[in-house]
Amino acid sequence: MQDKFDLLKTVEQGGCSAKLPQQLLDNILYDMDFSYNENLLVKADKRDDAAVWKINQDTAIIYTVDFFPPICSDPYIFGQIAATNSLSDIYAMGGEVLTALNLVMFPSKSIDISVLKNILKGGADKVKEAGGIIAGGHTIDDYPPKYGLSVIGKVHPEKVITNDKAKNRDILILTKALGTGVIIAGKRMGESKEEDYISALDNMMLLNNFVSSIMQKNNIICATDITGFSLIGHTFEIAKASNVICEIDSKKVPILQGAYNLVHIGCIPGAAFRNLKYVEEKVFFKEGLDYNLKMLLFDAQTSGGILISCVEKKVDSLVRELIKKGYKDTSIIGKVLKRKKKSDPYIIIN
Ligand code: CO
Ligand code: CO
Ligand code: CO
């Protein structure tokens, strides 16, 4: 009976779409004094996926935290997705996972505690699959439930993959299909097909661990993972930090089965409009761009793929290896151009 409890019923906005809007964060963080230390290799104001602290010549630790309200109905699957998402920021920096702590908010009086047990089991199984160990955690009685991890990983200090090193003529590669936000919203409205919902769950449960090792093997230096701020929101962070233009070919972006039709019937989560509004002025949209496709590019992703900026000559081997390792939707979605003047956009969408 407990297994029938539908976590999705506890929230209006789940997963990464429950993040605070970027604009609000800008408004309060712009004059924050982040002090400097030479061992802090990636600082908060870089808007990167995780912080990186150099311990010695050979080792830097990567540390990150992520948690959110339910993104799906089943507790065990929710635990797996939340953990996969938290671990992803280690992989986006090119690291390996070492250990993690559970972050739990759960209403013990209104939901049976066995639901929490299944959430934690899902999280633990993913951390184990990632080769890490759960070392503890913290719980608060709160509604709706929220779950995630604080994770520690490691990387060689000279092999940190950041969001500020995209170069003119690089090729942009995306490792997972988009549309998880749309499909979950459709599920809530009873409009998503069961098979499409299941493939969206599989997409979110897929660890980005091998993307990290394949990037390291191919000497990739610039990447980020795609989560609540959408493909274009996170691409903007790369473009801005690297001072380049990212040109996206909308027709080449992989989209989950069923997502396009849901957008077509008007199933567009509010987060997509917020994401669009935040970067709109920095983006050049090709005339006649398909509206449904455009909104999918701004759909908030939960536990999304990794966007990689890759030198041209490595692209073929990188894509081949990623597909072989199980990232079947991996696609070349655009390229990097020189940004010549201040009035140039950061993103061009064709
Ligand atoms: Co991230
Ligand atoms: Co994050
Ligand atoms: Co990064």
Side-chain angles (χ1 to χ4, degrees):
M1 186 211 159
Q2 311 306 350
D3 283 328
K4 295 259 162 61
F5 186 84
D6 184 353
L7 276 177
L8 261 192
K9 298 249 152 73
T10 64
V11 281
E12 300 260 301
Q13 293 188 92
C16 288
S17 61
K19 282 191 187 199
L20 284 180
Q22 273 166 307
Q23 188 62 59
L24 272 185
L25 295 179
D26 282 355
N27 294 349
I28 54 165
L29 292 179
Y30 75 95
D31 64 347
M32 196 75 77
D33 179 21
F34 295 110
S35 33
Y36 177 75
N37 181 298
E38 60 180 4
N39 291 316
L40 188 59
L41 303 183
V42 177
K43 299 189 290 174
D45 61 359
K46 285 282 182 181
R47 296 291 182 92
D48 214 319
D49 298 296
V52 181
W53 184 270
K54 182 174 164 182
I55 293 181
N56 57 38
Q57 295 310 317
D58 310 310
T59 312
I61 60 164
I62 309 173
Y63 49 117
T64 175
V65 57
D66 253 286
F67 61 96
F68 50 55
I71 181 74
C72 62
S73 301
D74 181 80
Y76 178 62
I77 295 177
F78 171 52
Q80 292 183 70
I81 292 172
T84 303
N85 179 73
S86 304
L87 297 164
S88 177
D89 282 327
I90 301 287
Y91 298 132
M93 308 301 286
E96 287 168 53
V97 166
L98 296 173
T99 177
L101 301 171
N102 282 320
L103 292 166
V104 177
M105 276 140 263
F106 193 80
S108 64
K109 286 175 204 76
S110 57
I111 304 179
D112 194 283
I113 198 73
S114 66
V115 170
L116 177 58
K117 183 173 181 169
N118 286 328
I119 293 173
L120 294 179
K121 172 100 172 54
D125 283 355
K126 274 295 162 187
V127 172
K128 196 172 172 192
E129 184 186 335
I133 297 166
I134 294 214
H138 184 72
T139 59
I140 291 283
D141 208 302
D142 187 35
Y143 183 90
K146 291 156 206 91
Y147 175 63
L149 301 171
S150 168
V151 192
I152 291 182
K154 67 167 183 178
V155 66
H156 192 284
E158 275 144 35
K159 301 270 281 177
V160 184
I161 298 174
T162 56
N163 63 7
D164 61 355
K165 295 196 179 68
K167 300 256 154 43
N168 183 29
R169 306 245 270 273
D170 276 2
I171 302 296
L172 297 169
I173 295 163
L174 178 64
T175 65
K176 283 189 191 180
L178 301 182
T180 58
V182 166
I183 294 206
I184 297 305
K187 162 83 176 168
R188 225 184 271 279
M189 294 160 60
E191 298 284 354
S192 287
K193 286 195 189 124
E194 190 60 16
E195 70 212 68
D196 296 341
Y197 173 64
I198 288 168
S199 50
L201 297 181
D202 287 341
N203 175 293
M204 293 186 278
M205 283 190 281
L206 180 65
L207 282 176
N208 288 329
N209 53 346
F210 297 119
V211 181
S212 177
S213 50
I214 292 169
M215 288 196 296
Q216 289 297 9
K217 200 176 132 196
N218 287 277
N219 299 313
I220 297 297
I221 54 173
C222 179
T224 194
D225 64 343
I226 305 304
T227 57
F229 299 144
S230 78
L231 172 69
I232 302 300
H234 291 283
T235 305
F236 172 68
E237 286 173 347
I238 283 193
K240 196 175 173 212
S242 309
N243 195 29
V244 294
I245 301 172
C246 291
E247 187 183 46
I248 305 292
D249 185 344
S250 60
K251 293 205 173 65
K252 290 196 176 149
V253 177
I255 306 288
L256 284 167
Q257 176 89 32
Y260 186 93
N261 280 334
L262 285 170
V263 173
H264 191 67
I265 61 166
C267 179
I268 309 174
F273 294 101
R274 281 203 302 274
N275 287 334
L276 169 63
K277 192 164 175 252
Y278 181 69
V279 291
E280 209 163 24
E281 276 155 32
K282 319 279 184 359
V283 180
F284 176 83
F285 297 93
K286 182 192 81 169
E287 209 175 308
L289 177 68
D290 182 296
Y291 178 76
N292 300 337
L293 209 46
K294 171 177 161 181
M295 292 318 292
L296 278 163
L297 302 184
F298 289 96
D299 183 38
Q301 300 304 287
T302 295
S303 191
I306 295 194
L307 176 71
I308 305 168
S309 189
C310 177
V311 290
E312 226 171 340
K313 64 174 197 284
K314 292 263 182 182
V315 168
D316 289 341
S317 70
L318 190 77
V319 170
R320 213 180 312 119
E321 275 184 75
L322 287 165
I323 290 173
K324 209 173 128 199
K325 267 293 184 185
Y327 305 96
K328 60 182 172 51
D329 295 318
T330 300
S331 309
I332 293 170
I333 63 161
K335 58 174 182 278
V336 177
L337 308 171
K338 217 180 253 167
R339 198 163 169 271
K340 292 177 187 137
K341 41 185 201 299
K342 253 190 136 183
S343 59
D344 281 347
Y346 282 103
I347 311 251
I348 294 173
I349 305 180
N350 285 319

